[in-house]
Amino acid sequence: MPLKIDASEEPTLNLTPMIDVVFLLIIFFMVGARFTQEAEEQQFDVELPTAAPVETLGRQPDPLVITVTASGITSVAGRLYSTTELQQLLARAREAYADQAVIIRGDAAGSYQAVMDVMSLCHAAKIRRFSLAFQPQDGSQAGEP
């Protein structure tokens, strides 16, 4: 005997797509949530141990290269410096590292006085390790004494 289905029956609601969307939203918010350990780290009041400040391993800093052009203009790392600015830079470098080295690159056609002025600024800043850059006569490499 065949079963008769009434046309007046309500259609059933399929919940599978809605459950899929809810799960996708849950996954989206879980992935987007920020999980940190700050709450766990701050949960207990812990007094951290103290230690002496760490000093560097004794590696010397790179020498400060001062370029003096033929017209007497001084620059360091491509930036032009006046005499007072250069004096302040040398003083800060000396304070940061007591044994700071300076290389003075003076133009061969330039004024000797401009190079001497830079050497005087080094002496005033108490920088004892300064040298003049030169190029060997064979022209193979640039060097410092």
Side-chain angles (χ1 to χ4, degrees), residues 57-122:
L57 296 175
R59 179 186 172 298
Q60 295 181 353
D62 293 335
L64 193 62
V65 179
I66 301 174
T67 303
V68 181
T69 63
S71 60
I73 298 172
T74 57
S75 67
V76 177
R79 182 175 177 264
L80 300 178
Y81 283 88
S82 68
T83 304
T84 56
E85 291 174 334
L86 185 60
Q87 185 175 12
Q88 292 170 356
L89 175 71
L90 291 172
R92 285 193 310 266
R94 169 80 166 100
E95 288 174 8
Y97 186 71
D99 202 24
Q100 176 68 51
V102 173
I103 298 174
I104 303 169
R105 297 179 64 232
D107 193 306
S111 169
Y112 186 65
Q113 184 61 47
V115 173
M116 289 305 295
D117 290 342
V118 173
M119 291 173 70
S120 176
L121 291 175
C122 289

Side-chain angles (χ1 to χ4, degrees), residues 4-25:
K4 291 187 178 180
I5 299 176
D6 287 334
S8 64
E9 280 188 31
E10 297 274 331
T12 59
L13 182 63
N14 190 0
L15 295 178
T16 306
M18 186 179 71
I19 293 172
D20 286 344
V21 168
V22 169
F23 280 131
L24 284 174
L25 287 173

